Amino acid sequence: MPRSASSTLSIDDRLVIAAALDRILYDDPDRFAAEDARTVRRLVPYARSSWLRLGFRAETKGPSMRGEGAGGVGDVHMDGDKKVVEGGVGESTVWRCGQYKITNHGGDLEIWQVMSDEFAEHPKGARLEFDPRGEPERLTFFQPRDIELRIPFTSFAIGVRLGGWQDWKQADGHTPG
């Protein structure tokens, strides 16, 4: 039975979840134990999520400077400071368990390594999916698709990252179909 969104996770629950996720993600390249998936889903509180979730990241770079024949140094080039702004809409409650950030959306559990997210250069995210009866079905991994839109007659470009999930592993006892 799922807990309410206002629940908290004890340190013991977090350790059990992290250990089960380690086994799910790393023990076998093709399968994972359904019982571990059930345990994680039972312990992580359900968080209501909106029908639309959007995240954004904007990067700007300040002006750069170049100097030629600087005394004792030679040619010098200094890049401007990079500023990054991130945000999101429709985000759900995220729980930290060991090296993982996890959200229970009901039909799936979204799992990210702590120092990674959708915008990382090499994102490390997975989704543990359940069938309509609540039984563990499969594990997918995040595979982004990047699109760059150039604005004509300017030096500006807009990058768009579309999220996609690719098949990875099946739960023990579950046959794909």
Side-chain angles (χ1 to χ4, degrees):
M1 181 166 141
R3 298 180 188 186
S4 70
S6 63
S7 296
T8 60
L9 287 173
S10 71
I11 190 70
D12 291 340
D13 288 344
R14 292 172 194 261
L15 291 170
V16 169
I17 292 165
L21 289 174
D22 282 344
R23 289 189 299 272
I24 290 168
L25 296 170
Y26 300 115
D27 271 4
D28 185 302
D30 301 317
R31 316 245 355 123
F32 63 91
E35 190 54 41
D36 281 336
R38 284 186 207 99
T39 298
V40 173
R41 186 176 191 201
R42 180 176 46 81
L43 291 174
V44 176
Y46 169 74
R48 189 170 204 181
S49 59
S50 94
W51 66 273
L52 177 64
R53 291 185 305 160
L54 295 173
F56 67 88
R57 176 185 174 109
E59 294 182 12
T60 60
K61 211 180 222 185
S64 60
M65 299 186 322
R66 176 182 295 266
E68 295 179 7
V73 179
D75 294 347
V76 177
H77 179 77
M78 294 175 50
D79 286 327
D81 291 337
K82 181 169 138 180
K83 295 181 183 177
V84 177
V85 176
E86 290 183 357
V89 176
E91 298 294 321
S92 300
T93 304
V94 176
W95 299 94
R96 168 83 187 265
C97 300
Q99 69 167 323
Y100 307 104
K101 299 176 291 188
I102 185 166
T103 302
N104 182 348
H105 298 290
D108 66 72
L109 300 169
E110 198 168 312
I111 306 154
W112 290 91
Q113 281 192 336
V114 168
M115 299 302 288
S116 184
D117 62 17
E118 296 92 338
F119 303 112
E121 187 175 341
H122 301 288
K124 293 180 169 78
R127 192 164 58 190
L128 192 52
E129 298 177 4
F130 295 82
D131 68 17
R133 297 170 298 142
E135 287 300 310
E137 192 170 34
R138 65 185 179 152
L139 185 69
T140 58
F141 67 93
F142 184 74
Q143 181 65 51
R145 291 183 299 265
D146 293 328
I147 300 170
E148 185 174 275
L149 306 170
R150 294 224 166 254
I151 300 173
F153 310 110
T154 71
S155 61
F156 296 109
I158 298 172
V160 177
R161 175 165 276 184
L162 303 173
W165 299 93
Q166 300 292 316
D167 285 340
W168 182 5
K169 301 180 182 190
Q170 296 294 317
D172 283 342
H174 179 37
T175 53

